[in-house]
Amino acid sequence: DAGVTQSPTHLIKTRGQQVTLRCSPISGHKSVSWYQQVLGQGPQFIFQYYEKEERGRGNFPDRFSARQFPNYSSELNVNALLLGDSALYLCASSTNTGGTEAFFGQGTRLTVV
Amino acid sequence: AQRVTQPEKLLSVFKGAPVELKCNYSYSGSPELFWYVQYSRQRLQLLLRHISRESIKGFTADLNKGETSFHLKKPFAQEEDSAMYYCALLTSGGSYIPTFGRGTSLIVHP
């Protein structure tokens, strides 16, 4: 099992553009969460999806959106990119919501110029 | 709103010395607390959670509700313990909102 996989690994975008990040969970995991991690800080929760429904949302603007597909993979979309959106975006999968162990991907490094 | 505070950005010890990584939290409900670890060039991974009351790689953490703390301890540090450690809180109830601290970098010198 390759674990949680994220694509792409690195991405450079221009201010105002839109970006889509992808995540494939571990086989059998139905929950996917997204986090933003800026340098020197811990991961900050963006969204959690379980069985294709949003189960949790962090304090992020509406420019951030996500969805989960029938195969439990997920996409995170960010519109109207700002320089401050530059960060490592992490995806984590788990079997369920709540206190079950979350398995993290290697992340997508987004740079906005 | 919930908050997790890890007061030390960096903790430097020698091999064999005791280690304590501090974590304080604020949350009005009954929290679930976790410690995550990230070794160099590896993914973030769960180290332990308070409800399991287990010891992993010699590390233990006790939830102290009176002091709202969940400090991570190990009696004798090893060089392979050098890593970034994150304390995380999960709110109870129907809404899933995990909150991470900023992390503490532990360096264990030979």
Side-chain angles (χ1 to χ4, degrees), chain A residues 2-4 33 35 37 40-43 45 48 55-57 98-102 104-106, chain B residues 9 32 34 36 38 43-46 49 51 86 90 94-103:
Chain A
V4 177
S33 299
Y35 296 83
Q37 187 174 22
Q41 299 295 322
F45 175 71
Q48 193 221 18
R55 292 299 185 93
R57 173 185 285 254
T100 54
E101 181 175 356
F104 283 82
Q106 82 284 2
Chain B
K9 204 170 183 179
E32 290 188 52
F34 304 80
Y36 279 83
Q38 187 167 27
R43 302 175 182 202
L44 195 60
Q45 59 185 286
L46 179 67
R49 70 192 88 179
I51 57 173
Y86 295 96
L90 185 64
S95 182
Y96 176 86
I97 305 290
T99 303
F100 281 75
R102 67 170 180 176

Side-chain angles (χ1 to χ4, degrees), chain A residues 41-43, chain B residues 1-8 22-27 31-36 68-71 85-91 97-104:
Chain A
Q41 299 295 322
Chain B
Q2 62 272 16
R3 175 181 288 223
V4 174
T5 302
Q6 293 181 251
E8 303 133 333
K22 291 185 168 52
C23 172
N24 289 92
Y25 67 91
S26 64
Y27 176 55
E32 290 188 52
L33 276 298
F34 304 80
W35 277 100
Y36 279 83
T68 60
S69 68
F70 188 56
H71 303 328
Y85 291 81
Y86 295 96
C87 181
L89 175 154
L90 185 64
T91 58
I97 305 290
T99 303
F100 281 75
R102 67 170 180 176
T104 297

